[in-house]
Amino acid sequence: MRRGFGGAGRQLARFIEDRSGNFAVITAAILTTILLSVGFGINTAQMVLTRSNLLNALDSAVTSTARDLTTGAIPEDDAEKTVKAFLFTNGGTGFASADKISLDSLIVDHTAKTVTATASVNISLLFPLFGAADSQKISVTSAALYSDKQVEVAMMLDLTGSMAKTKYTDKIGDLRLAATNAVKTMLGNQNTNNPRVRVALVPYASGVNVGALVNNVYAETSSSSDLPPVAGSKLLVSKTGSKALPLFATYKSIVASAYPHSDNCATERKDRYGNADFSADGPDTIRTDKNGQPYYALVNRDNHLSGSSMNKCPDAKVIPLTTDEDALLDSIDDFEANGYTAGAIAVQWTYYMLSSQWRSAIKDAGLGDGPANTNPNKLSKVAILMTDGQFNTAYAGVSNDYNDQGDVARGNAESICSNMKADGIEVYTIGFDLDDKSMSATERAEAKSVLKNCSSPDKPGRQHFFDASTGTELDGAFQKIIADIEGLVLTQ
């Protein structure tokens, strides 16, 4: 039962009547002051605790509602119902009673992309002070950002031999679990009739298995040029009767027939000088060789990729942007570890999967609608680059003994990452078990350096390079990146 100060006042009056002298008066004054101080302190603590609990509940309600609006899990009409459900469930703690909590206002601002809510509760004070109000209204306001942007995410995933299961570790198993959870988090809660997020996979090892996109790949031979056939070449003239460059579809058919593919693998695209090309140009881009003759910018499959043992194409294929969760998860389930670490080639194909210049090629291959045009106000493009070791394999622009492959691969990766970032793609990187003692200290430092240099600059509360030592940390890194992509933060 709550007690007021009325009784205390009467006791003080009797004390004064029954005692005489200054001592009695001073004692009464001291007791009154003490009682007032204690009561005020208790009331203040009660209000502070109640306000803190109510604000925490409202923060959770607003943030959760903003996330649901962002992912499309709820329509805007359900925002108030969602806020109330969280608020009333979590707000009735401490001295607040859930049935006395009120959602006073809720504003979904389409311009600022915010959800703002004000809530209040009336609480009965433990110590009403000499006729003062015995209740107090506490009001709090919270806001969170939401987004109606579309999101395109391409995940580069390491399937190289060092990821294989051993007596002590199961890194490929850790990757399967982390990648599965990432896909489910990104695609699991969105509105299937109006999906907001699309995901691409770029598994890699000694090269990249491009699947149905293979007709955009030029399969070199030991005796062929580094570049696809140019206009006026014997091959094209014999097939078309013209020295002009044929239509792209015709060109691809002629090249594929003359240079058949032994697999669906791709390495770097080469420029006119035989070095790796760092652009995201589509394969139908017309280029010229050193003599000014035009050709189409097909991606190369270097003849030094033998296709056997460690130097072969991974079985897992590139999957362009899709909302098909089952297709992505089926591919991840079949991940197997084998091969060298051609990281720059994987970075290159991650770039392609996010570039609208590859839209036609992807659509022509029957692999979906392809990437959308860049529009920072309406679309976020994100690359997640994951590896467990040092990039050590390259083909374009390396010497015959390939001793400089690692340096070339790392330099190529950083150049491609720079181009991605310049094109508005946000780049996150994850190093997995990079402190593995099977690598030298120099190799470990170089591996981390590439990933740090590739990643986008950090922002307040948002990191872009993750150093994961265990499967749990790998899973956590993916989840943290996904949370960052949503861009949900409290603004008040």
Side-chain angles (χ1 to χ4, degrees):
M1 178 177 179
R2 183 163 48 85
R3 295 181 178 179
F5 275 75
R10 290 191 292 274
Q11 292 294 330
L12 287 172
R14 294 194 190 100
F15 180 88
I16 294 170
E17 291 172 358
D18 295 340
R19 302 291 187 274
S20 60
N22 291 335
F23 177 76
V25 174
I26 292 172
T27 301
I30 291 173
L31 287 174
T32 300
T33 302
I34 291 172
L35 287 171
L36 286 170
S37 297
V38 171
F40 181 78
I42 292 175
N43 287 347
T44 299
Q46 179 188 6
M47 289 187 291
V48 169
L49 178 60
T50 301
R51 186 183 190 282
S52 176
N53 289 341
L54 183 62
L55 181 58
N56 287 338
L58 188 61
D59 283 348
S60 297
V62 169
T63 303
S64 178
T65 301
R67 181 180 297 279
D68 285 347
L69 288 172
T70 294
T71 61
I74 64 169
E76 185 180 322
D77 290 344
D78 287 348
E80 181 175 348
K81 180 174 66 177
T82 304
V83 170
K84 285 182 175 180
F86 272 84
L87 179 63
F88 298 156
T89 298
N90 301 308
T93 58
F95 298 97
S97 175
D99 61 354
K100 293 184 179 180
I101 296 174
S102 171
L103 178 61
D104 300 328
S105 68
L106 176 68
I107 300 172
V108 180
D109 189 325
H110 298 283
T111 301
K113 294 293 184 280
T114 57
V115 179
T116 306
T118 299
S120 62
V121 63
N122 283 297
I123 61 170
S124 297
L125 296 176
L126 293 175
F127 285 87
L129 299 177
F130 296 115
D134 64 356
S135 66
Q136 179 71 41
K137 181 178 181 180
I138 296 173
S139 182
V140 296
T141 298
S142 180
L145 294 172
Y146 76 95
S147 174
D148 59 359
K149 283 185 178 181
Q150 300 291 306
V151 182
E152 296 177 351
V153 182
M155 298 197 299
M156 177 189 105
L157 304 175
D158 187 338
L159 305 188
T160 57
S162 56
M163 290 287 292
K165 184 177 181 179
T166 69
K167 180 179 179 180
Y168 304 103
T169 63
D170 183 14
K171 292 199 287 186
I172 192 66
D174 292 334
L175 174 59
R176 289 192 201 102
L177 178 60
T180 294
N181 290 340
V183 169
K184 288 181 176 180
T185 299
M186 287 188 283
L187 300 183
N189 293 323
Q190 65 179 341
N191 185 340
T192 56
N193 295 322
N194 185 27
R196 192 183 62 88
V197 181
R198 293 188 295 158
V199 178
L201 296 182
V202 183
Y204 76 97
S206 298
V208 173
N209 185 336
V210 300
L213 289 168
V214 71
N215 285 337
N216 300 285
V217 174
Y218 162 55
E220 301 175 28
T221 68
S222 58
S223 59
S224 68
S225 167
D226 279 347
L227 296 182
V230 299
S233 64
K234 290 182 179 179
L235 173 64
L236 295 182
V237 171
S238 68
K239 297 296 182 181
T240 66
S242 171
K243 292 185 177 181
L245 193 66
L247 295 175
F248 182 56
T250 302
Y251 182 88
K252 285 194 300 181
S253 177
I254 293 173
V255 172
S257 178
Y259 301 94
H261 301 96
S262 58
D263 54 29
N264 292 333
C265 217
T267 57
E268 307 97 330
R269 177 163 52 195
K270 297 179 181 178
D271 64 17
R272 68 180 68 178
Y273 303 107
N275 297 315
D277 171 71
F278 306 137
S279 77
D281 289 347
D284 54 351
T285 302
I286 297 176
R287 295 198 172 159
T288 58
D289 68 2
K290 289 185 288 187
N291 297 317
Q293 293 299 108
Y295 66 97
Y296 289 106
L298 301 181
V299 181
N300 294 63
R301 187 212 181 278
D302 194 282
N303 60 289
H304 290 96
L305 178 64
S306 66
S308 61
S309 188
M310 289 281 285
N311 196 17
K312 70 172 186 176
C313 209
D315 292 333
K317 302 173 184 177
V318 164
I319 299 180
L321 292 167
T322 182
T323 60
D324 189 340
E325 181 177 316
D326 289 340
L328 295 167
L329 297 182
D330 286 346
S331 176
I332 293 169
D333 283 344
D334 294 335
F335 280 0
E336 297 292 339
N338 187 50
Y340 301 120
T341 312
I345 298 171
V347 176
Q348 166 189 276
W349 277 89
T350 304
Y351 194 11
Y352 295 165
M353 293 302 98
L354 294 171
S355 172
S356 60
Q357 298 181 82
W358 274 78
R359 183 166 56 236
S360 294
I362 291 169
K363 293 180 73 172
D364 290 346
L367 296 174
D369 294 331
N373 292 334
T374 299
N375 184 344
N377 294 323
K378 295 292 184 182
L379 176 68
S380 293
K381 291 179 181 277
V382 179
I384 303 175
L385 313 178
M386 174 267 163
T387 185
D388 83 321
Q390 186 189 50
F391 295 170
N392 58 24
T393 301
Y395 302 91
V398 297
S399 60
N400 289 334
D401 61 10
Y402 292 97
N403 288 333
D404 59 346
Q405 285 187 72
D407 289 339
V408 171
R410 292 186 289 276
N412 289 351
E414 291 185 11
S415 295
I416 298 168
C417 286
S418 294
N419 286 349
M420 279 199 287
K421 288 180 283 189
D423 279 353
I425 298 171
E426 191 152 9
V427 181
Y428 291 87
T429 60
I430 304 174
F432 184 31
D433 194 27
L434 294 186
D435 290 322
D436 185 344
K437 295 302 186 284
S438 66
M439 292 191 291
S440 69
T442 298
E443 290 172 333
R444 294 196 296 271
E446 288 175 340
K448 292 183 181 182
S449 177
V450 170
L451 295 182
K452 290 178 180 178
N453 292 339
C454 262
S455 63
S456 295
D458 287 343
K459 301 173 183 177
R462 181 178 297 183
Q463 70 184 91
H464 288 81
F465 165 67
F466 292 81
D467 193 358
S469 298
T470 65
T472 299
E473 291 180 1
L474 179 65
D475 186 37
F478 276 108
Q479 294 300 318
K480 180 63 168 63
I481 291 170
I482 295 167
D484 284 349
I485 292 171
E486 297 297 351
L488 293 171
V489 294
L490 291 175
T491 58
Q492 289 188 357

